[in-house]
Amino acid sequence: MPVVKKATLLIKNIGQLITMAGPVPRIGNNMTELGLIEKGGIAVAGDEILAVGESEKVEGHAPLAEGCTVIDANGMVVTPGFIDPHTHPVFSMTREKEFEMRIQGKSYMEIAQSGGGIRASVRDLRTTPVEVLMEKTKSRLDRFLEHGITTIEAKSGYGLSTESEMKQLKIIDDLNQLHPIEMVPTFLGAHEVPDEYRDCRDEYISLLINEMIPAVTGEGLAEFSDIFCEEGVYDIEESRRIQQAAADAGLKLKFHADELKSTGGAELAASKKARSADHLVNISEAGSKALAHSGTAAVLLPGTTFSLGGKQYAPARKMIESGVVVALSTDCNPGSSYTESLSVVISLAALQMKMTAAEAISAVTVNAAYAVGREERIGQLRENYQADITMWNMSDYRELPYHYGVNLTGRVIKKGKPVVER
Amino acid sequence: MPVVKKATLLIKNIGQLITMAGPVPRIGNNMTELGLIEKGGIAVAGDEILAVGESEKVEGHAPLAEGCTVIDANGMVVTPGFIDPHTHPVFSMTREKEFEMRIQGKSYMEIAQSGGGIRASVRDLRTTPVEVLMEKTKSRLDRFLEHGITTIEAKSGYGLSTESEMKQLKIIDDLNQLHPIEMVPTFLGAHEVPDEYRDCRDEYISLLINEMIPAVTGEGLAEFSDIFCEEGVYDIEESRRIQQAAADAGLKLKFHADELKSTGGAELAASKKARSADHLVNISEAGSKALAHSGTAAVLLPGTTFSLGGKQYAPARKMIESGVVVALSTDCNPGSSYTESLSVVISLAALQMKMTAAEAISAVTVNAAYAVGREERIGQLRENYQADITMWNMSDYRELPYHYGVNLTGRVIKKGKPVVER
C-alpha cells in the first residue's frame, strides 16, 4: 500500500493561482500561458508540492498533518517563487559616487581614472574580511527574499585571482547553507582582466584555464562558468577558449554577450550550447536567429540600461516573436544596477521593452528556472515540484508592473517553510 | 524662570544628519545645501524638535523625560520626513488593464472608448461606498508612511459633482484624524468635465464657481484649489476664472500646467501667485522665466512620464539653473502613476532629469514643504519645527537614487512618535 502523504502547509482561497504549469521553457505566445486557476489552493508536504488546483478540491484532497499550517490567501495572487538568473551579490563597497558622477555627465574614462569601475570592486573585495562580506551579502539575500525571490544565480568575478575568486564562491556556498534563499553558483573569473595582468593578458587566460577552473571544479564550488565577452574585455576567440576549458571541466555555460556592441557573443553562446546569453542590448539579427529555437535562453537586464541612464534596451519583443527563450533578471551589482527587486525590473520590462505582465512573469519563473538549469525542480507550481511560493498583496497579477517602485510581496514560502511575512 | 523642556525622544549616533536648515525655499545651487551634520543627534519634546546638532552635544543638552525613547541610529542617514506635494490617493478601482493596453500599443482614444481614463475613476468613485474608499485609501497612506513620507498633499477630483467631491474631501478629512500621515487637502473639482456636462461645459464651470467652491470652503475642507489647465480640458481663460473664484473664497492655488502641450499654464500660475505649477513637461521658455524667482514652485512628476511610457521629462536642470523652485512628487493616482514611493521618483529624477541626490532631497523636503504652504512647520530638522523624521538604512545619502526600486526606509517618526519600524 502506498504511503499517503499528509499536507504540512495548505494555502486556500487564492484569487489568482498562477501555476505556470505547461511547456518548458516558454517561447513566443506560450509566454502568456500562466496556468491560471481562479479560487485556487495548494497543498504542500514537507518541501514539495502535493496538490495544486481549485481551492475546494485541494482542501478535500489531502489529509492534513498534525500542526499543518493553513493560510487563507483571501483572494491574493500567488505565483511560483521568483527566480533571478543573473546576480553579482558578493561585495562590500557600494559605488553611489560613480552613479552621481554619471548623473553629472562624467564619462566612463573619467570615472575609471577617479578609481571607479569593476576594478574598484576587485580592490575592495580582495582586502575585505570574509565576515564583512558575509554580513553584507546576507542583507542582500534578505532583501531578495522580501521581494518574493526564492532562488538567485550568484556569480563570483570581483576576485580575479584564484584565492579571491574562491573566497567569493565559498561565501556563496556557506550562505547557501545558512540562508533560506537558494543560490546557483557561477564562476566568473573572466569578468575583467585584473590590473596586474593588463600587460600580459594571455598569462591571466592561462591562469583561468590551468589553475582557477580546476580549483573551482575541484571543490565543486560552481555549476556554471560565465565570461564578459565584449570588445575590450574578452574577445570572441578568447571567450571560446576559456569557456571550452570550463565545459571540459564539467561546468555549464553562460555568456555576458553583446551588451555594448554586437560582437557575435550570442552566436558563440548558442554554438557552445550555453544555457544563457545575457544582456544582449546590441544583439544582431544573426545573433537573434542563432538563439531562436536553440537551447540557449536570453537573460535580459533592463535595470542595467535604466541605471546607467541609457536609452537603448534589449529588443525583447523581437526576440520573443522570433522564438528566443526570454528571461529577466536584476543584474544586481554595485556598478551598473543596484537593486534586489524583480518587481521594478518587471515594470521596466513593460514600459521599456513592451513585455506584458504575463510575459514578464514567465520570464522570472519558468524561463528563469530554465536559464539556471533547474527547470525540473522550480519555476512552476505543480505536483512534486519544490514548494517555493510567493503570495502577493494584489488581486490581479497585472498590478505587478503597473503599481511600480513598491514591494507588493505578501508572504514567501521556501521549500515549504514560510520565510517572509509582510 | 522659563520651563525647561525635557526630551521625550532622543536619536543619537546619526551617520549623516541631513537637517535641511537654511534658506526657504531652496533655489539653484542652494538645493545642494543639506545642512549635513556628521555624528549627529536630535532631541524631541512632544511633537516638536528640541535640539539638533552633534550627537554628544545634543545628548548633553536636554534633560530626558521619564520614559524617554532613546534610539541609537548606529551610523544611519536621517532626513526630515519626506513630503509628497501632489497626490490623488482617494480611489477604489485600480486601472492595470489600461496600463497593459498602453504597453500593447493601444492609443489614448482606444483606452477611453473601452471605458478607461479619468472618467472611469469618476464612475467608480461615485458608486463606491465611503467605507470601501476609506479602507483602500488607508492602505495607501500606510504605504506612503512606510516609504518615509510623513506629509502628502491630497486632491479630490474623481467626484466632479458637489456631492462626490465633498465625499472625497471628507474622507481626506476623516483620515487626517485617524492616520498618522498628515494630509494637505486640495479641491480639484476641475480635474475634468464630467460626462453629464460634456455638451454644456459652461454650466459645469458655473457649478464649480457658484456651488462647489462655496460648499468646500464653507465646511473648511480644502486649503488649495487645483485645476487641470490643458488643451481639451480647461483652457487658460476658464482656468483663470475658476481659480480667481477659488482665490476669492480664500483657497490657495495650484495648477496642473503644460503637461501635454505648452499652453501658458505656468505663466498663468505665476500671475495668480499660485503656490505651485505642476507637471510642466512642456513648459515654454516664457513659462520658465515666469516661474523663476516668483513665489510659484514647480512640482515635477517624473514617475508620470515613466509610467505612461513617455520619453520626454520636465526640463528640471534648466529650471534649477534659471532660479525656479523645484519640488518632486509621486503624482500617485490610478491612471498615470501608481506609486507611493518618493524613492523611485528620486531615482527617476536622477536618471532622467539629471538631478543629484542632494537636489532631489531638497525637492522632497524643504521645497515640497514650500509647495504645500507648510514650510514654517515641516521640511527641516530644526528647533521648534514639527518632529517629522525619517531614518534610512544607508550610510550615505547618495544611496537613495542609486539603490533603486527598493525601500531603504528604516524608522519613521511623525510628530515625535515612532510610527514605522522596518
Side-chain angles (χ1 to χ4, degrees), chain A residues 244-310:
Chain A
Q244 186 57 53
D248 292 343
L251 295 172
K252 290 176 278 186
L253 303 184
K254 288 180 171 287
F255 288 76
H256 281 61
D258 300 330
E259 180 184 1
L260 309 171
K261 288 199 177 172
S262 173
T263 65
E267 294 91 317
L268 177 62
S271 77
K272 304 302 285 180
K273 302 198 183 308
R275 252 316 156 107
S276 73
D278 302 29
H279 283 290
L280 304 173
V281 175
N282 288 285
I283 189 171
S284 67
E285 201 69 46
S288 199
K289 271 191 191 148
L291 293 184
H293 307 290
S294 75
T296 305
V299 175
L300 307 186
L301 312 164
T304 311
T305 297
F306 174 71
S307 183
L308 289 173

Side-chain angles (χ1 to χ4, degrees), chain B residues 16-236:
Chain B
Q16 294 182 337
L17 170 53
I18 292 172
T19 66
M20 297 310 302
V24 183
R26 291 287 202 287
I27 299 174
N29 289 337
N30 284 339
M31 284 187 84
T32 61
E33 287 174 17
L34 299 178
L36 196 154
I37 299 169
E38 295 191 349
K39 294 181 190 153
I42 308 175
V44 171
D47 63 353
E48 285 192 353
I49 292 170
L50 193 56
V52 175
E54 289 172 27
S55 191
E56 285 185 15
K57 284 190 189 161
V58 169
E59 288 172 58
H61 171 87
L64 304 188
E66 225 181 276
C68 173
T69 305
V70 179
I71 299 173
D72 186 340
N74 199 18
M76 290 167 83
V77 171
V78 168
T79 66
F82 281 2
I83 299 159
D84 189 339
H86 182 133
T87 86
H88 308 251
V90 186
F91 59 91
S92 172
M93 183 185 67
T94 52
R95 283 159 48 196
E96 58 271 21
K97 284 171 202 170
E98 283 178 40
F99 182 90
E100 182 135 309
M101 287 176 79
R102 278 200 302 274
I103 298 305
Q104 295 174 316
K106 299 283 190 300
S107 71
Y108 180 84
M109 278 308 288
E110 288 171 295
I111 291 170
Q113 279 163 4
S114 82
I118 286 177
R119 291 184 208 159
S121 288
V122 172
R123 284 191 298 275
D124 185 68
L125 182 119
R126 288 179 176 178
T127 55
T128 302
V130 167
E131 310 76 68
V132 174
L133 287 165
M134 287 280 281
E135 191 199 318
K136 301 258 179 145
T137 306
K138 186 187 163 299
S139 78
R140 274 168 220 129
L141 301 185
D142 289 344
R143 211 182 287 277
F144 277 114
L145 208 60
E146 283 162 17
H147 284 83
I149 298 163
T150 49
T151 300
I152 64 172
E153 185 257 18
K155 302 179 197 292
S156 65
Y158 296 127
L160 308 190
S161 71
T162 308
E163 183 192 348
S164 295
E165 286 291 306
M166 296 292 278
K167 176 177 165 182
Q168 267 192 294
L169 290 170
K170 280 178 187 159
I171 287 168
I172 293 169
D173 193 44
D174 287 347
L175 286 171
N176 235 342
Q177 316 303 318
L178 296 171
H179 199 278
I181 221 166
E182 180 175 342
M183 282 188 277
V184 180
T186 294
F187 170 62
L188 179 57
H191 197 193
E192 242 302 0
V193 177
D195 286 342
E196 62 274 23
Y197 286 92
R198 297 308 282 183
D199 300 325
C200 51
R201 50 187 296 128
D202 281 345
E203 285 181 37
Y204 186 64
I205 293 172
S206 294
L207 188 77
L208 279 166
I209 292 174
N210 299 318
E211 185 178 303
M212 294 168 81
I213 290 171
V216 167
T217 53
E219 296 204 28
L221 287 173
E223 291 181 29
F224 283 90
S225 171
D226 192 358
I227 189 163
F228 196 172
C229 174
E230 190 79 40
E231 201 177 288
V233 195
Y234 292 94
D235 69 21
I236 291 287

